[in-house]
């Protein structure tokens, strides 16, 4: 069983994807981390994240970079959003994500293009959204807890810029798959959002089973 969870930054999709993985006892891949690793490796090698060939050279990042907490910073998030617009970067990360999705028993993946490109055949697809204001408040609280000195206004501007870049790029833009179910978490606690996500996935799975029988 493959569960695809897509949505913009700080929508709650990561938390929801992890909770779904625990609930259905499936392995989970946060695909944003792969793009963050490319962005961070690009900076470490002093390559230009806006030049396709240079960014593509950073896709052979060392695996242990994926565990580095620096990947969670806003600065690396911005780099990830810049490298991720290059088709060559996306192509280099495709097989790794597809293999993860199609492992025996299935998986939960979260990102921007899981339901549209990585696993269009997913058994359940969620598109998690929230208002920019709600997402900025959450991201700001996370950053402050981590000791990063950022203002709410800076975070809101950064989120809006990233949404704009992610949804307008030509290669695999951020958009809901036609058969994805929308979940708006703006006014939900984490607990309510997870409950609703589980209910929506259960519904999608039973609808799929029913249509398979007919
Ligand atoms: O989800 P996260 O904020 O960690 O992703 C960082 C950046 O990586 C996003 O802004 C997006 O540009 C890119 N990304 C992507 N496709 C994915 C996951 C992330 O383009 N499947």
């Amino acid at each position: 069983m493959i569960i695809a969870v897509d949505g913009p930054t700080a929508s709650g999709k990561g938390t929801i994807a992890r909770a779904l993985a625990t609930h259905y006892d499936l392995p989970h891949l946060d695909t944003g981390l792969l793009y963050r690793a490319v962005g961070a490796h690009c900076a470490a090698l002093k390559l230009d994240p806006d030049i396709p060939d240079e960014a593509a050279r950073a896709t052979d990042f060392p695996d242990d970079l994926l565990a580095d907490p620096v990947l969670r910073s806003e600065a690396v998030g911005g780099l990830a959003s810049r490298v991720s617009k290059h088709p060559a970067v996306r192509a280099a990360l495709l097989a790794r994500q597809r293999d993860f999705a199609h492992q025996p028993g299935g998986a939960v993946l979260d990102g921007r293009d899981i339901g549209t490109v990585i696993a269009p055949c997913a058994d359940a697809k969620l598109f998690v959204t929230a208002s920019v204001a709600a997402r900025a408040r959450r991201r700001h609280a996370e950053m402050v807890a981590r000791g990063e000195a950022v203002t709410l206004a800076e975070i809101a501007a950064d989120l809006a810029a990233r949404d704009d870049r992610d949804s307008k790029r030509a290669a695999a833009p951020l958009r809901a798959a036609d058969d994805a179910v929308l979940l708006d978490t703006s006014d939900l606690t984490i607990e309510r959002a997870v409950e609703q996500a589980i209910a929506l996935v259960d519904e999608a799975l039973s609808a799929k089973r029913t249509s398979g029988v007919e």
Side-chain angles (χ1 to χ4, degrees), residues 9 13 31-32 35-36 80-81 84 90 111-113 162 166 169:
T9 301
K13 69 178 186 322
T31 63
Y35 291 93
R36 286 171 179 265
S81 161
S84 68
R90 307 200 70 83
R112 302 291 187 288
D113 62 343
R162 267 216 261 165
D166 288 354
R169 69 179 178 220

Side-chain angles (χ1 to χ4, degrees), residues 111-196:
R112 302 291 187 288
D113 62 343
I114 309 303
T116 51
V117 176
I118 304 298
C121 60
D123 301 280
K125 299 181 186 179
L126 290 186
F127 193 82
V128 184
T129 58
S131 64
V132 171
R135 289 159 51 212
R137 273 196 307 276
R138 288 175 196 160
R139 183 46 64 93
H140 185 246
E142 263 172 47
M143 294 282 142
V144 169
R146 232 182 279 154
E148 287 199 40
V150 278
T151 66
L152 189 58
E154 281 166 350
I155 298 274
D158 181 61
L159 284 181
R162 267 216 261 165
D163 283 358
D164 194 58
R165 234 184 345 248
D166 288 354
S167 19
K168 289 196 181 141
R169 69 179 178 220
L174 168 67
R175 71 168 182 87
D178 295 336
D179 51 351
V181 186
L182 294 191
L183 175 57
D184 187 329
T185 65
S186 304
D187 301 317
L188 299 179
T189 59
I190 295 287
E191 292 75 18
R192 279 297 291 148
V194 166
E195 270 171 33
Q196 291 201 7

Side-chain angles (χ1 to χ4, degrees), residues 23-158:
H23 182 80
Y24 295 101
D25 197 19
L26 293 169
H28 164 236
L29 180 65
D30 167 2
T31 63
L33 266 189
L34 303 176
Y35 291 93
R36 286 171 179 265
V38 176
H41 199 46
C42 207
L45 299 179
K46 302 209 178 336
L47 296 167
D48 185 335
D50 297 316
I51 299 180
D53 287 354
E54 296 204 17
R57 276 168 52 204
T59 56
D60 67 349
F61 57 81
D63 259 14
D64 56 5
L65 180 56
L66 292 172
D68 192 327
V70 79
L71 294 195
R72 304 279 173 192
S73 71
E74 274 309 284
V76 172
L79 287 168
S81 161
R82 285 159 68 187
V83 297
S84 68
K85 70 176 184 289
H86 306 305
V89 168
R90 307 200 70 83
L93 300 179
L94 185 74
R96 180 178 189 144
Q97 296 174 79
R98 284 216 173 129
D99 289 351
F100 192 92
H102 291 283
Q103 64 187 290
V108 180
L109 289 86
D110 73 85
R112 302 291 187 288
D113 62 343
I114 309 303
T116 51
V117 176
I118 304 298
C121 60
D123 301 280
K125 299 181 186 179
L126 290 186
F127 193 82
V128 184
T129 58
S131 64
V132 171
R135 289 159 51 212
R137 273 196 307 276
R138 288 175 196 160
R139 183 46 64 93
H140 185 246
E142 263 172 47
M143 294 282 142
V144 169
R146 232 182 279 154
E148 287 199 40
V150 278
T151 66
L152 189 58
E154 281 166 350
I155 298 274
D158 181 61

